[in-house]
């Protein structure tokens, strides 16, 4: 007769042994990641040390509050861990104050609004069909639900953010907060001009650098910190590490920001994730990381150049003609392609990216005409300019192949490109 395992055996059993069903699903996702050309602009490859910290015994600890002022005793070690993460974030970004508790970038935005606004206050954000983020203003999120939120966008003629529109709306609306920052925009922002507009109308400037925080840390992107009252970010996109958010702020706003996060919008912080954020900030201060971020931007530019060169064949222009950052946007509408269908076709060949609606999109919702491509994950895997140029041509071939007749050939080229760049080698096969 088979004996029931004891409680001690259950608690000490590995995932693979305890739950083979779940373990097989994780293994399936690992194989997918290893075999996919990952061009999702918000994804990266978390380092081993980050995974270790995030999966550590710190998961067990409750620590509501902040270092030195918790609702629980026995928080000495997690106080030190959180203080280390805070000091590393401040040092990396030359910031006066850092809060490392936000569960995500969206929570960080929610907490900043909670800290700086009263319900019903006017807020000005960036339309997400134009590249912004829903949590800046959209009625389907807390921002549009609890604040009087409006959104600016990009100009039709050049798809660049319309600073005259920002100034005009700010003058008219008198927002308490103006968000600058994007999820899908290939060019640098004029943070000085945003600051001037905020000063003219008495608004706080919040820079949502969720996507470009890693580029800022590496010095390959203009630094918003000197101009912003607060910066929100995610730690897992270009920063490439722990899954969660963080906020930088001026010292005079520190208490309000901290209260806005906890107890304002969240409960207990996640000590294991905060530890992983500390590791991320340490890694992001290294020369190797700075070189990688330079390679990320170079890679995005190489993909953009290859796709632009092939436009006569594909009829798919690169929006704004190129990119300054880790991502680019391809407009599929002149080719009469719908983004989700095109993405599904590229998925068949092992390519992953984002299909989305774009500014002035001619497609009927929920369809869209934009393909967002990012270089962070592949550059972290080891890709450099030559590989990214090859990826650009592979994509152009895929875009030109409306019938899908070349899918098998494209899949072989994906495998070939990935074969020299193993992923998560420390996990074995
Ligand atoms: N979902 C993220 C992105 O892909 O950009 C933004 O929250």
């Amino acid at each position: 007769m088979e004996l029931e395992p004891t409680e001690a055996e259950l608690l000490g059993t590995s995932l693979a042994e305890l739950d083979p069903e779940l373990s097989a699903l994780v293994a399936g996702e690992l194989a997918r990641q290893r075999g996919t050309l990952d061009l999702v602009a918000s994804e990266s490859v978390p380092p081993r040390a980050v995974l270790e910290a995030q999966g550590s015994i710190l998961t067990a600890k409750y620590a509501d509050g902040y270092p030195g002022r918790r609702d629980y005793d026995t928080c000495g070690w997690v106080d030190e861990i959180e203080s280390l993460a805070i000091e590393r974030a401040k040092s990396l970004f030359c910031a006066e104050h850092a809060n490392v508790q936000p569960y995500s970038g969206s929570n960080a935005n929610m907490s900043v609004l909670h800290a700086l606004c009263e319900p019903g206050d006017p807020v000005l954000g960036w339309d997400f069909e134009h590249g912004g983020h829903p949590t800046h203003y959209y009625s389907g999120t807390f921002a549009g639900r609890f604040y009087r939120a409006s959104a600016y966008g990009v100009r039709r003629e050049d798809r660049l953010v319309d600073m005259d529109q920002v100034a005009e709306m700010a003058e008219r609306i008198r927002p308490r907060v103006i968000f600058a920052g994007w999820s899908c925009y290939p060019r640098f922002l004029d943070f000085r001009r945003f600051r001037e507009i905020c000063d003219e109308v008495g608004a706080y400037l919040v820079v949502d650098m969720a996507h470009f925080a890693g580029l800022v840390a590496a010095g390959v992107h203009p630094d918003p910190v000197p101009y912003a009252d607060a910066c929100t970010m995610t730690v897992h996109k270009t920063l490439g590490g722990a899954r969660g958010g963080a906020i930088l702020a001026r010292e005079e706003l520190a208490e309000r920001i901290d209260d806005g996060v906890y107890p304002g919008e969240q409960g207990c912080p996640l000590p294991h994730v905060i530890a992983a954020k500390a590791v991320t900030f340490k890694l992001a201060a290294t020369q190797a990381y700075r070189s990688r971020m330079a390679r990320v931007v170079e890679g995005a530019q190489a993909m953009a150049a290859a796709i632009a060169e092939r436009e006569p064949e594909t009829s798919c222009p690169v929006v704004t003609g190129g990119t300054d950052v880790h991502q680019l946007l391809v407009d599929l509408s002149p080719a009469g392609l719908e983004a989700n269908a095109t993405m599904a076709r590229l998925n068949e060949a092992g390519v992953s990216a984002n299909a989305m609606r774009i500014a002035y999109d001619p497609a009927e919702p929920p369809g869209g005409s934009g393909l967002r491509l990012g270089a962070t994950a592949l550059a972290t895997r080891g890709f450099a300019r030559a590989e990214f140029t090859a990826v650009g041509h592979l994509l152009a071939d895929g875009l030109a192949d409306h019938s899908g007749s070349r899918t098998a050939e494209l899949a072989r080229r994906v495998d070939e490109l990935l074969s020299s760049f193993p992923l998560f080698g420390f996990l074995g096969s």
Side-chain angles (χ1 to χ4, degrees):
M1 184 179 75
E2 208 171 301
L3 289 178
E4 271 287 305
T6 64
E7 179 75 342
E9 280 166 350
L10 284 178
L11 291 177
T13 303
S14 72
L15 178 63
E17 279 179 83
L18 179 79
D19 194 342
E21 185 185 2
L22 192 280
S23 184
L25 296 175
V26 177
E29 172 59 14
L30 172 62
R32 186 204 65 76
Q33 290 186 19
R34 283 176 165 162
T36 299
L37 201 67
D38 185 0
L39 295 166
V40 175
S42 40
E43 291 183 351
S44 183
V45 179
R48 179 178 188 164
V50 164
L51 295 179
E52 277 177 25
Q54 211 160 269
S56 71
I57 53 86
L58 295 167
T59 305
K61 190 72 193 93
Y62 256 93
D64 301 42
Y66 288 99
R69 46 197 173 98
R70 306 279 191 186
D71 296 348
Y72 295 77
D73 59 8
T74 62
C75 287
W77 296 110
V78 295
D79 274 7
E80 284 197 46
I81 288 166
E82 185 164 343
S83 299
L84 193 60
I86 290 169
E87 288 313 312
R88 286 179 180 173
K90 283 166 62 178
S91 158
L92 184 64
F93 292 104
C94 296
E96 293 174 8
H97 179 70
N99 186 304
V100 295
Q101 294 195 0
Y103 300 154
S104 70
S106 296
N107 283 68
N109 286 341
M110 179 158 62
S111 300
V112 166
L113 288 177
H114 187 112
L116 302 180
C117 299
E118 292 300 323
D121 274 352
V123 166
L124 181 56
W126 185 331
D127 187 327
F128 69 86
E129 284 201 4
H130 288 232
H133 198 265
T135 59
H136 298 174
Y137 74 97
Y138 175 54
S139 60
T141 74
F142 55 87
R145 184 123 193 238
F146 301 124
Y147 304 96
R148 227 163 359 103
S150 316
Y152 58 89
V154 297
R155 286 186 295 248
R156 186 185 277 275
E157 63 272 23
D158 58 8
R159 309 294 160 121
L160 296 178
V161 66
D162 188 345
M163 294 308 293
D164 291 337
Q165 186 195 20
V166 177
E168 182 279 314
M169 289 183 81
E171 181 63 37
R172 183 161 42 84
I173 293 163
R174 297 269 149 183
R176 191 94 177 126
V177 161
I178 297 180
F179 276 106
W182 41 261
S183 284
C184 184
Y185 188 70
R187 298 295 178 186
F188 293 152
L189 298 181
D190 184 349
F191 296 122
R192 183 186 297 274
R193 183 74 189 110
F194 270 106
R195 176 76 263 164
E196 285 166 2
I197 293 170
C198 285
D199 288 343
E200 279 157 23
V201 302
Y204 291 109
L205 175 59
V206 177
V207 173
D208 181 343
M209 57 178 192
H211 265 269
F212 51 88
L215 308 181
V216 171
V220 297
H221 186 285
D223 184 0
V225 176
Y227 300 101
D229 296 293
C231 293
T232 57
M233 70 179 103
T234 48
V235 185
H236 52 272
K237 291 193 176 91
T238 49
L239 262 175
R243 190 68 187 234
I247 303 171
L248 309 174
R250 295 194 191 287
E251 184 58 43
E252 70 212 52
L253 296 175
E255 202 173 323
R256 284 165 69 185
I257 294 288
D258 286 353
D259 288 348
V261 176
Y262 173 85
E265 298 294 344
Q266 294 186 177
C268 180
L270 310 175
H272 52 306
V273 182
I274 289 174
K277 289 174 188 173
V279 178
T280 308
F281 297 136
K282 179 184 167 91
L283 284 170
T286 60
Q287 184 52 45
Y289 176 83
R290 286 192 283 275
S291 304
R292 186 196 334 147
M293 285 301 108
R295 199 153 36 78
V296 165
V297 174
E298 207 181 18
Q301 289 171 340
M303 276 196 291
I307 294 169
E309 186 189 313
R310 301 280 301 279
E311 188 189 331
E313 207 179 315
T314 63
S315 302
C316 296
V318 174
V319 174
T320 79
T323 182
D324 299 327
V325 295
H326 63 293
Q327 58 166 261
L328 56 134
L329 181 63
V330 180
D331 183 358
L332 308 179
S333 61
L337 293 172
E338 195 282 315
N340 292 294
T342 305
M343 198 56 254
R345 189 155 49 72
L346 292 172
N347 279 164
E348 293 287 311
V351 177
S352 156
N354 293 111
M356 58 211 314
R357 289 186 59 74
I358 56 175
Y360 312 105
D361 204 314
E364 280 298 315
S369 304
L371 191 63
R372 185 183 69 163
L373 306 167
T376 315
L378 288 177
T380 308
R381 203 163 163 164
F383 278 40
R385 179 194 287 272
E387 288 81 21
F388 280 112
T389 300
V391 172
H393 285 291
L394 187 152
L395 289 166
D397 287 338
L399 293 175
D401 176 33
H402 293 202
S403 68
S405 62
R406 293 181 67 181
T407 299
E409 174 217 326
L410 297 179
R412 269 195 305 280
R413 283 162 62 188
V414 166
D415 287 346
E416 204 174 304
L417 272 164
L418 293 175
S419 63
S420 310
F421 300 94
L423 184 65
F424 297 126
F426 59 89
L427 291 176
S429 56

